[in-house]
């Protein structure tokens, strides 16, 4: 009896093991079936646009300093006199002839008075000489005076007349020196530097003030030899100022020679007056060289990835095709595509950062952008 019971347990174990071996492949097959029928990746909804051909300005970017158009040096025209008054500071806007400084004039005024007295004395001497010559003319026919005496009266008159002229010239010189004690502006402009100090005794020719004539500034853009053929007087420029802001300008002339050390020429650009520009700034600007057609797209259509510029074309089967492009000029919210696409392509307007080559998309709206 006991042996039959053991045989029964053994038979039951064989049946159970067989059942497990039969059911395990079926279960594995059942588990793999849902994976094979997984749902497809959802499509990204995008807006389609087409590149637009536009006429854009062709610009040349250059660097260079801002400087005064012309800087006048105001110097002392007479020496040995002390500065007794100053009427202008650095930054003062002045007019032509405006008083800037005064020199001590006491000694000069005394000299003027002395020369005036000399002129008066010379006039009296001339009057006496003229009177003597006139009397000699009256009596010369009567033989009362010798020919030699008559000639002496004539020579004395000429000498007195010359002495008066010399005295008058000395008086004019003294008056000029007196006027030079008033240092005035030589032109309209703004004072850019002042070396004059109250109480200092100046020497002839000593610099007292520097003046930016007419408050005019210019941009001295540095151009290489290969860029010179593109520059023509009258071209418009836009200069970016440090800290923000821009100022407009016009190309006045181009240097006829290149610097021997830098091998660059200078393009002189007149700046718009009363701007925030200051002499001494080193700036970057652009010169307009004309216009050229550009194939443009919205900047949002260009995606930067791994150092490359990429756009996505929408294929007929609603999958995107990745194109590596070269970008050029930028104006507002549009950018020029110089290589990589053609006119008439359907491109993804935005959202390229979430796309990869071959991804499916659905169109949210479609149409060609107006130029």
């Amino acid at each position: 009896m006991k042996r039959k019971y053991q045989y029964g347990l053994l038979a039951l174990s064989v049946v159970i093991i067989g059942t497990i071996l039969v059911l395990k492949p079926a279960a594995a097959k059942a588990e793999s079936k849902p994976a094979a029928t997984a749902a497809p990746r959802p499509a990204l909804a995008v807006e389609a646009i087409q590149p637009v051909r536009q006429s854009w300005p062709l610009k040349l970017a250059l660097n260079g300093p801002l400087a005064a158009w012309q800087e006048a040096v105001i110097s002392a025209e007479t020496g040995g006199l002390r500065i007794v008054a100053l009427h202008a500071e650095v930054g003062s806007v002045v007019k032509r002839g405006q008083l800037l400084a005064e020199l001590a004039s006491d000694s000069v005024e005394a000299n003027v008075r002395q020369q005036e007295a000399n002129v008066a004395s010379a006039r009296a001497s001339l009057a006496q000489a003229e009177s003597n010559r006139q009397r000699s003319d009256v009596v010369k026919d009567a033989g009362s005076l010798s020919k030699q005496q008559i000639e002496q009266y004539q020579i004395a008159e000429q000498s007195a007349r010359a002495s008066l002229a010399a005295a008058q010239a000395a008086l004019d010189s003294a008056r000029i020196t007196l006027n030079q004690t008033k240092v005035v502006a030589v032109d309209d402009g703004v004072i850019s530097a002042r070396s004059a100090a109250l109480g200092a005794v100046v020497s002839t020719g000593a610099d007292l003030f520097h003046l930016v004539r007419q408050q005019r500034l210019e941009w001295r853009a540095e151009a290489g030899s290969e860029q010179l053929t593109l520059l023509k007087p009258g071209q418009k420029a836009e200069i970016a100022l440090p800290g923000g802001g821009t100022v407009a300008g016009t190309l006045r002339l181009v240097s006829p020679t290149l610097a021997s050390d830098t091998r660059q020429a200078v393009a002189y650009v007149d700046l718009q007056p009363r701007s925030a520009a200051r002499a001494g700034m080193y700036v970057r600007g652009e010169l307009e060289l004309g216009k050229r057609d550009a194939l443009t797209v919205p900047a949002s259509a260009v995606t930067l990835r791994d150092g490359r510029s990429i756009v996505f074309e929408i294929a007929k089967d609603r999958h995107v095709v990745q194109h590596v492009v070269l970008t050029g000029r930028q104006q507002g919210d549009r950018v020029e595509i110089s290589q990589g696409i053609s006119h008439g392509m359907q491109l993804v307007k935005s959202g390229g950062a979430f796309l990869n080559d071959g991804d499916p998309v659905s169109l949210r709206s479609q149409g060609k952008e107006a130029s």
Side-chain angles (χ1 to χ4, degrees), residues 52-59 238 286 288 290-300 327-337 369 371:
V52 175
R53 193 169 296 281
Q54 297 176 309
S55 180
W56 276 10
L58 184 62
K59 297 182 179 182
E238 185 175 14
E286 293 181 331
E288 293 185 7
K291 290 190 175 182
R292 186 181 67 187
D293 285 348
L295 191 63
T296 70
V297 299
S300 60
T327 59
R329 295 167 286 173
Q330 188 165 355
Q331 185 170 310
D333 62 348
R334 300 191 69 85
V335 63
E336 176 187 15
I337 306 298
E369 288 195 345
S371 58

Side-chain angles (χ1 to χ4, degrees), residues 144-284:
S144 301
L145 294 175
S146 66
K147 185 175 181 181
Q148 182 179 6
Q149 288 177 321
I150 294 173
E151 289 178 352
Q152 287 177 349
Y153 286 135
Q154 292 174 345
I155 292 172
E157 180 189 10
Q158 294 173 0
S159 178
R161 196 179 301 279
S163 296
L164 176 60
Q168 186 64 56
L171 176 59
D172 292 342
S173 178
R175 286 173 175 169
I176 290 173
T177 303
L178 180 60
N179 288 335
Q180 290 172 349
T181 63
K182 309 293 184 183
V183 180
V184 299
V186 297
D187 198 358
D188 297 348
V190 60
I191 300 298
S192 58
R194 190 191 80 178
S195 55
L198 191 65
V201 177
V202 300
S203 58
T204 303
D207 290 355
L208 301 180
F209 299 92
H210 285 203
L211 173 73
V212 177
R213 293 188 60 196
Q214 302 175 20
Q215 301 187 60
R216 284 177 58 182
L217 296 180
E218 63 184 11
W219 175 39
R220 297 177 180 175
E222 300 164 348
S225 56
E226 69 281 358
Q227 299 168 323
L228 291 181
T229 56
L230 304 175
L231 303 180
K232 300 291 185 296
Q235 291 172 337
K236 300 301 180 182
E238 185 175 14
I239 297 94
L241 300 177
T246 60
V247 58
T250 304
L251 179 61
R252 185 176 78 253
L253 61 90
V254 179
S255 172
T257 59
L258 279 71
S260 58
D261 52 347
T262 62
R263 300 300 178 186
Q264 290 185 321
V266 177
Y268 297 90
V269 177
D270 288 332
L271 300 188
Q272 186 179 24
R274 293 179 293 278
S275 69
R278 295 292 182 269
M281 291 179 174
Y282 194 85
V283 299
R284 180 178 179 83

